[in-house]
Amino acid sequence: MADLVTVPPFGILEPPKVYKDGTTREDAESSPLDILLMPGLGFDMRGHRLGRGGGYYDKLVSRMKTAATSNGLKPPLLVALAFNAQVVPEIPTEEYDEAIDVLVTSTDMVACTERGQDFVKAL
């Protein structure tokens, strides 16, 4: 914990960009991820999610998709874990909202996108 640094704007602790031994920290935006767990307050079966209104994850996912495709890689599969009570008929969306690929609840696994369908079929 002593090595963690405070990062604005929210003062979240995270590892330094360069460790004491000189090793550069791997960054999720530059290192390929297979799966990214997406947080949310609510979800619908089409893969739309309600976050906290800042668009932070949508911006991160957009940057990760751009980086992956420019390097000839697949972007991470976007998966959300939710209680059944968090699943609603429809979540309002904006043009910058990134849809999740797979929604997992205690009773179901829903493929929300074509990529999600391919993933679920492969299980």
Side-chain angles (χ1 to χ4, degrees):
M1 292 292 287
D3 291 343
L4 299 179
V5 295
T6 303
V7 178
F10 301 110
I12 296 172
L13 294 175
E14 67 177 43
K17 295 206 182 276
V18 178
Y19 297 110
K20 288 181 181 178
D21 67 359
T23 306
T24 302
R25 178 186 79 191
E26 284 188 86
D27 192 289
E29 291 183 51
S30 58
S31 301
L33 296 178
D34 294 321
I35 293 177
L36 180 62
L37 294 178
M38 299 290 290
L41 300 172
F43 305 91
D44 68 23
M45 298 296 210
R46 296 173 308 163
H48 301 137
R49 66 179 196 92
L50 179 65
R52 297 185 73 80
Y56 298 105
Y57 273 83
D58 297 304
K59 292 171 190 163
L60 170 67
V61 168
S62 178
R63 290 191 308 265
M64 291 176 83
K65 285 181 175 181
T66 299
T69 53
S70 68
N71 290 313
L73 303 170
K74 289 184 181 178
L77 185 75
L78 304 179
V79 177
L81 309 176
F83 293 107
N84 288 325
Q86 290 176 277
V87 182
V88 298
E90 186 175 353
I91 296 286
T93 60
E94 301 287 336
E95 72 271 358
Y96 58 83
D97 289 333
E98 296 282 348
I100 58 172
D101 297 306
V102 178
L103 175 62
V104 180
T105 69
S106 63
T107 58
D108 205 0
M109 183 181 321
V110 179
C112 302
T113 64
E114 187 175 321
R115 186 156 184 232
Q117 291 171 0
D118 293 342
F119 174 78
V120 171
K121 284 180 192 174
L123 294 177

